[in-house]
Amino acid sequence: MIERRSAYAELSPSQRIIMTPGPVEVDPRVLRAMSYPILGQFDPEFTGLMNETMQLLRELFQTKNRWAYPVDGTSRSGIEAVLISLIEPGDRVFIPIYGRFGYLLQEIAERCGAEVVTVEKEWGTVFDPGELASCIVRERPAVVALVHGETSTGRLQPLEGIGAACREAGALLVVDAVATLGGVPVETDAWQLDAVIGGTQKCLSIPAGMAPITYNERVERKLLARKRVERGLRADGNERDRRGEASLPAGSPIRSNYLDISQLQDYWSPARLNHHTEMTSMLYALREGVRLALEEGLEARFARHRKHESVLVAGLAAMGLKLYGEPACKLPVVTCIEIPDGIDGEQVRAVLLRSFGIEIASSFGPLKGRIWRIGTMGYSCRQTNVLHLLGALEAALLYAGYKLPAGSAVRTALRMYDEMHDKAEEGLP
Amino acid sequence: MIERRSAYAELSPSQRIIMTPGPVEVDPRVLRAMSYPILGQFDPEFTGLMNETMQLLRELFQTKNRWAYPVDGTSRSGIEAVLISLIEPGDRVFIPIYGRFGYLLQEIAERCGAEVVTVEKEWGTVFDPGELASCIVRERPAVVALVHGETSTGRLQPLEGIGAACREAGALLVVDAVATLGGVPVETDAWQLDAVIGGTQKCLSIPAGMAPITYNERVERKLLARKRVERGLRADGNERDRRGEASLPAGSPIRSNYLDISQLQDYWSPARLNHHTEMTSMLYALREGVRLALEEGLEARFARHRKHESVLVAGLAAMGLKLYGEPACKLPVVTCIEIPDGIDGEQVRAVLLRSFGIEIASSFGPLKGRIWRIGTMGYSCRQTNVLHLLGALEAALLYAGYKLPAGSAVRTALRMYDEMHDKAEEGLP
């Protein structure tokens, strides 16, 4: 009977300080947006909000692409939607791997029926873009899929030059920017990225539930060659007439219905061809979260992420902790710490959560139990959170018997924030 | 610049009376649940809420199944997840079709690589269950997929007896109960349904965004034969050790990662094997919506849906309108009306929406422009909504030049509600 009583209890989640690489704390203004009454999916007021969201997403992705809209699922639904809609069975797909989420791209591409070619880099490092460009020109894949910010290792893969190599090789470049969009520059057009997938629950501080994507005309041409109008929507059963073309497309049909972006773009176009029922409340949240990001300004937002990262890193160093991975390619929004010898990483995490209400993350696969990961993303990326975390982590480490110069971390952080504040008052960079 | 200004405007959706077959108005208590701060996905408090939600869903689906959890996407993501996880390429799949959503099942099954066998009934009618049982035993498919409540035509397919036929034929029975769950009895165990998919945005009055599913051990056996652990999660690269078995499974791998329910059930099990990031706020909404449905009581909830349907139908008859379809199999939560000759159905809908803030639906394919569809689902299914709708529809029809006995519809409805009220006060049925 206990389980039954508990399941019927009123919802009342605790307040947390969430310093993981996602999901992170949601901006209260986004939470408020989700509490508004819903509109019907074809209500002109709602389709107006859909169009506005597309416009906001274009700015966020720094693109002039026509197509920028959310896939209705969590981040990996957006990745799978793009890959399954582009990859025909037997297609050669090139995937550079430097952490867990590279394996995810491989996993998805294989399930799409691709012939996958991978190159791997030791975890904690990234690829030299020139090296990747040479591989791409040599391998001539149909699709290149690449992670921009690898949260499993806290690394950022530079993308400049890779888009040009893909065009030379006739490949489409698909970038997983789930961890970076809204926290680190993602320059879709300038970097010649053909398709980009973002995440909501990381630097945008929106709950998990949608995957904003954008793609260009090179991608759209491929989609149109594979497109089919759904049974039950064809007015007269004649697919050709419906498509207004003389013949069926030459590409093989897309293997998913839910994740078929050739259908999704019809739903997001003025035709509004019925597909799924758009997630009303999540769309409200997405629109509000992106709106807030653009109101802050992308440059100011990126600078805010770098600022709190620098204080966090200095505080951790003052505690005597060692960062994991190659510093040159550190992902600004995720900081990985080597768990000191003799310390039980999970026990420290448990103390932080149970006693301080602060959540940090462990990692996956070979890094499980070896590193902690601290996110400084979106609404969670703020001064009070960094200071609370440093103080609590110091206390948890001391409690676990770790030797450190007590008080240094927070003192270092406070001094840095004061200096930044003074500079800002004087108008200095 | 107008587009830009509008995209940046603060969110402020209008209040609507939504009387479509979904999405319908969301219970304000569910809206409130979504405005709570989020928890991390592996926070024990959150995994506790996940477990409670599973327990609530079991009661809602009237099942003792171990597995009852949401797929993170809109309703059709749940349908595709079940079908793609069960159908191996080349499998024979039997699909009886009596409206648009039967075609959707066919569409998805074909994209899964199935050899699809269909039988079709004229729209507006349903199948005799005995007739279907004979077909199933004769065709011996691997999977039978069937719509329970067909919103495109407003029909309810009786399911009794079909489960037994599927067991005799060695087939798995998959039921699309998107439109019926929470509004009409869906007796998973009693009817021997192997997998059932529900919808949130219809009789549960939760925003679109999750697809609750349940399935039994017959389904799970099939899943385990196809299961693969994801690359990047295997601790040592050895899939066999991870699975604790001597050999790889015999089934073909599931073609989707996002919609692979063999992986989803690991995420929803105590193992909590990382897959996607659970949609926190939508999970809050789902838990609250199902909790409210169970607090009302399933029988009381079904009775409420029948009550308001009966008043709506009487009011429409008093207006001289004709219902569409075979009365014996009318879906209680959707009422389809033949648009009278000489009346422009879309113009009437536009008057209802623009002047009264009331939304009703049109239909798809051959019924487009021929019928209106009125939903009486979940929180939208209440006396004030039925009365407002009848009054507004009458006014819109008069305004369009249709002849009807003015005042009859609302008077009929008011009298019925009064009689029901008096009976209830006297304790009569």
Side-chain angles (χ1 to χ4, degrees):
Chain A
M1 285 310 291
I2 284 170
E3 190 180 13
R4 186 182 157 93
R5 194 169 59 234
S6 154
Y8 276 91
E10 194 168 344
L11 184 68
S12 146
S14 297
Q15 278 282 358
R16 298 285 197 229
I17 293 173
I18 311 184
M19 301 296 278
T20 66
V24 302
E25 294 167 48
V26 175
D27 191 304
R29 293 169 292 180
V30 172
L31 293 174
R32 183 183 60 177
M34 283 189 293
S35 72
Y36 283 115
I38 76 157
L39 294 162
Q41 67 172 326
F42 295 114
D43 190 322
E45 203 173 307
F46 187 69
T47 54
L49 292 173
M50 289 170 71
N51 290 340
E52 288 168 24
T53 304
M54 291 176 80
Q55 177 56 27
L56 295 167
L57 286 175
R58 283 184 203 106
E59 292 191 39
L60 180 67
F61 278 115
Q62 303 191 55
T63 184
K64 297 201 189 318
N65 286 342
R66 174 174 182 197
W67 300 114
Y69 58 82
V71 173
D72 278 10
T74 67
S75 308
R76 71 169 62 191
S77 76
I79 296 172
E80 185 165 324
V82 169
L83 291 180
I84 206 166
S85 300
L86 291 184
I87 298 172
E88 299 195 55
D91 271 355
R92 174 180 283 240
V93 175
F94 179 67
I95 302 177
I97 296 173
Y98 61 101
R100 178 198 167 185
F101 291 98
Y103 286 111
L104 178 62
L105 296 178
Q106 180 183 5
E107 171 92 18
I108 293 172
E110 284 177 351
R111 292 191 187 215
C112 296
E115 178 207 327
V116 178
V117 180
T118 64
V119 284
E120 300 201 25
K121 267 277 186 244
E122 193 190 348
W123 286 30
T125 65
V126 298
F127 292 89
D128 171 63
E131 176 194 348
L132 283 185
S134 311
C135 283
I136 290 162
V137 172
R138 192 178 64 239
E139 294 285 346
R140 304 198 80 75
V143 172
V144 175
L146 183 57
V147 174
H148 186 214
E150 177 62 76
T151 54
S152 66
T153 61
R155 297 305 105 179
L156 182 71
Q157 172 63 52
L159 297 177
E160 293 89 336
I162 297 173
C166 286
R167 294 198 183 189
E168 192 187 328
L172 294 170
L173 176 55
V174 176
V175 171
D176 166 356
V178 168
T180 49
L181 187 70
V184 172
V186 177
E187 301 185 17
T188 303
D189 288 358
W191 297 343
Q192 298 183 299
L193 315 180
D194 294 305
V196 185
I197 302 101
T200 54
Q201 78 279 13
K202 297 180 187 277
C203 297
L204 291 174
S205 282
I206 300 164
M210 284 191 151
I213 63 171
T214 188
Y215 51 87
N216 61 20
E217 288 174 359
R218 300 179 80 222
V219 165
E220 192 177 2
R221 273 197 295 278
K222 177 86 182 177
L223 296 178
L224 293 179
R226 304 186 71 190
K227 182 174 162 183
R228 304 284 189 279
V229 171
E230 190 172 302
R231 279 171 201 279
L233 287 182
R234 300 171 206 156
D236 55 359
N238 188 331
E239 187 167 353
R240 298 179 191 192
D241 289 358
R242 179 85 199 191
R243 298 185 61 255
E245 289 177 23
S247 62
L248 282 173
S252 64
I254 292 169
R255 278 186 178 182
S256 173
N257 172 290
Y258 189 68
L259 300 173
D260 173 353
I261 61 179
S262 79
Q263 288 189 281
L264 290 180
Q265 74 178 33
D266 275 347
Y267 180 57
W268 284 85
S269 79
R272 297 281 171 217
L273 203 58
N274 190 252
H275 185 253
H276 60 283
T277 300
E278 187 55 18
M279 296 179 171
T280 322
S281 305
M282 282 303 307
L283 187 86
Y284 288 177
L286 178 66
R287 181 182 176 283
E288 186 69 359
V290 178
R291 190 176 82 96
L292 295 174
L294 296 175
E295 269 187 1
E296 178 175 5
L298 289 181
E299 285 310 319
R301 195 172 176 92
F302 302 149
R304 170 165 64 82
H305 282 86
R306 285 194 304 273
K307 165 180 155 177
H308 296 294
E309 178 209 22
S310 70
V311 177
L312 173 67
V313 165
L316 295 170
M319 234 182 273
L321 293 171
K322 190 162 172 291
L323 298 196
Y324 164 83
E326 173 64 36
C329 54
K330 183 182 176 303
L331 179 59
V333 296
V334 179
T335 299
C336 297
I337 306 164
E338 294 187 0
I339 298 171
D341 287 340
I343 297 293
D344 178 340
E346 287 308 285
Q347 205 162 344
V348 169
R349 289 211 311 128
V351 169
L352 287 176
L353 185 63
R354 284 189 211 142
S355 303
F356 295 90
I358 296 177
E359 191 185 9
I360 67 169
S362 53
S363 193
F364 305 99
L367 292 178
K368 197 168 176 164
R370 277 190 50 207
I371 65 172
W372 291 308
R373 298 178 302 145
I374 297 176
T376 40
M377 291 176 157
Y379 186 70
S380 282
C381 178
R382 55 187 203 266
Q383 178 169 336
T384 50
N385 274 10
V386 170
L387 291 171
H388 285 307
L389 170 69
L390 287 171
L393 181 60
E394 176 182 301
L397 283 169
L398 287 170
Y399 196 65
Y402 181 69
K403 298 252 181 306
L404 57 76
S408 292
V410 175
R411 192 167 56 237
T412 300
L414 276 175
R415 189 179 305 132
M416 285 179 76
Y417 279 127
D418 273 350
E419 285 169 10
M420 288 171 179
H421 181 76
D422 293 346
K423 273 192 187 168
E425 295 245 304
E426 291 164 31
L428 294 172
Chain B
M1 285 310 291
I2 284 171
E3 190 179 15
R4 185 181 157 93
R5 193 167 61 235
S6 155
Y8 276 92
E10 193 167 345
L11 184 67
S12 145
S14 298
Q15 278 282 357
R16 299 284 196 229
I17 292 173
I18 311 184
M19 301 296 277
T20 66
V24 302
E25 293 167 48
V26 175
D27 191 305
R29 292 169 293 181
V30 172
L31 293 174
R32 184 183 60 177
M34 283 190 293
S35 71
Y36 283 114
I38 77 157
L39 294 161
Q41 66 172 328
F42 295 115
D43 190 321
E45 203 174 306
F46 187 69
T47 53
L49 292 173
M50 290 171 71
N51 289 341
E52 289 169 22
T53 305
M54 291 178 81
Q55 177 55 26
L56 294 167
L57 286 176
R58 283 184 203 107
E59 293 192 39
L60 180 67
F61 277 116
Q62 303 190 55
T63 184
K64 297 200 189 319
N65 286 343
R66 174 174 182 196
W67 300 114
Y69 58 81
V71 173
D72 278 10
T74 66
S75 308
R76 71 168 64 191
S77 77
I79 296 172
E80 184 163 324
V82 169
L83 291 180
I84 206 167
S85 299
L86 291 184
I87 298 173
E88 300 194 53
D91 272 355
R92 174 180 284 239
V93 175
F94 178 67
I95 302 178
I97 297 173
Y98 60 101
R100 179 199 166 185
F101 291 98
Y103 286 112
L104 178 62
L105 295 177
Q106 179 184 4
E107 171 91 18
I108 294 172
E110 284 177 353
R111 291 190 188 215
C112 296
E115 179 208 326
V116 178
V117 179
T118 63
V119 283
E120 300 201 26
K121 268 277 186 244
E122 193 191 348
W123 286 31
T125 65
V126 298
F127 293 90
D128 171 64
E131 176 195 346
L132 285 184
S134 310
C135 284
I136 290 163
V137 172
R138 192 179 63 239
E139 294 285 346
R140 303 199 78 76
V143 173
V144 175
L146 183 57
V147 174
H148 186 213
E150 177 60 77
T151 54
S152 66
T153 61
R155 297 304 106 182
L156 182 72
Q157 171 64 52
L159 297 177
E160 294 89 337
I162 298 174
C166 286
R167 293 201 182 185
E168 191 187 330
L172 294 170
L173 176 55
V174 176
V175 171
D176 165 357
V178 168
T180 49
L181 187 70
V184 172
V186 176
E187 301 186 15
T188 303
D189 289 357
W191 297 343
Q192 298 183 301
L193 314 181
D194 294 305
V196 185
I197 304 101
T200 54
Q201 78 279 12
K202 297 181 187 275
C203 297
L204 291 174
S205 283
I206 299 164
M210 284 192 152
I213 63 171
T214 188
Y215 51 87
N216 60 21
E217 289 174 359
R218 301 180 79 221
V219 166
E220 192 176 2
R221 274 198 294 279
K222 176 85 181 178
L223 295 178
L224 292 178
R226 305 187 69 189
K227 182 174 162 182
R228 304 285 189 277
V229 171
E230 190 173 301
R231 281 169 200 279
L233 287 183
R234 299 172 205 156
D236 54 0
N238 187 331
E239 188 167 351
R240 297 181 193 191
D241 290 356
R242 181 85 198 188
R243 296 186 61 255
E245 288 177 24
S247 63
L248 282 173
S252 64
I254 293 169
R255 279 185 176 182
S256 173
N257 172 291
Y258 188 68
L259 300 174
D260 173 353
I261 61 178
S262 78
Q263 288 188 282
L264 290 180
Q265 74 177 33
D266 276 348
Y267 180 58
W268 284 85
S269 80
R272 297 282 170 217
L273 203 57
N274 191 252
H275 185 252
H276 60 283
T277 300
E278 187 55 18
M279 297 178 170
T280 321
S281 305
M282 280 304 306
L283 188 85
Y284 289 176
L286 178 65
R287 182 183 176 283
E288 186 69 358
V290 178
R291 191 176 82 95
L292 295 175
L294 296 174
E295 270 188 358
E296 178 175 5
L298 290 181
E299 286 309 320
R301 195 172 176 93
F302 302 150
R304 170 165 63 82
H305 281 86
R306 285 194 304 273
K307 167 179 154 178
H308 296 295
E309 178 210 21
S310 69
V311 177
L312 173 67
V313 164
L316 295 170
M319 233 181 273
L321 293 171
K322 191 163 172 289
L323 298 196
Y324 164 84
E326 174 62 37
C329 54
K330 182 182 178 303
L331 179 59
V333 296
V334 179
T335 298
C336 297
I337 306 163
E338 294 187 1
I339 298 171
D341 287 341
I343 296 293
D344 178 339
E346 288 308 285
Q347 205 162 344
V348 169
R349 289 210 313 128
V351 169
L352 286 177
L353 186 64
R354 284 188 213 142
S355 305
F356 295 89
I358 297 177
E359 191 186 9
I360 67 169
S362 53
S363 192
F364 306 98
L367 292 178
K368 197 168 177 166
R370 278 191 49 207
I371 66 171
W372 291 308
R373 298 178 304 145
I374 297 177
T376 40
M377 291 176 158
Y379 186 70
S380 282
C381 178
R382 56 188 202 266
Q383 178 169 336
T384 50
N385 275 10
V386 170
L387 292 172
H388 284 307
L389 170 68
L390 287 172
L393 182 59
E394 175 182 303
L397 284 169
L398 286 171
Y399 196 65
Y402 181 69
K403 298 253 180 307
L404 57 76
S408 293
V410 175
R411 191 167 57 237
T412 299
L414 276 176
R415 188 178 305 132
M416 285 179 74
Y417 279 127
D418 273 349
E419 284 169 10
M420 289 171 179
H421 182 75
D422 292 346
K423 273 193 188 169
E425 295 244 302
E426 291 165 31
L428 294 171

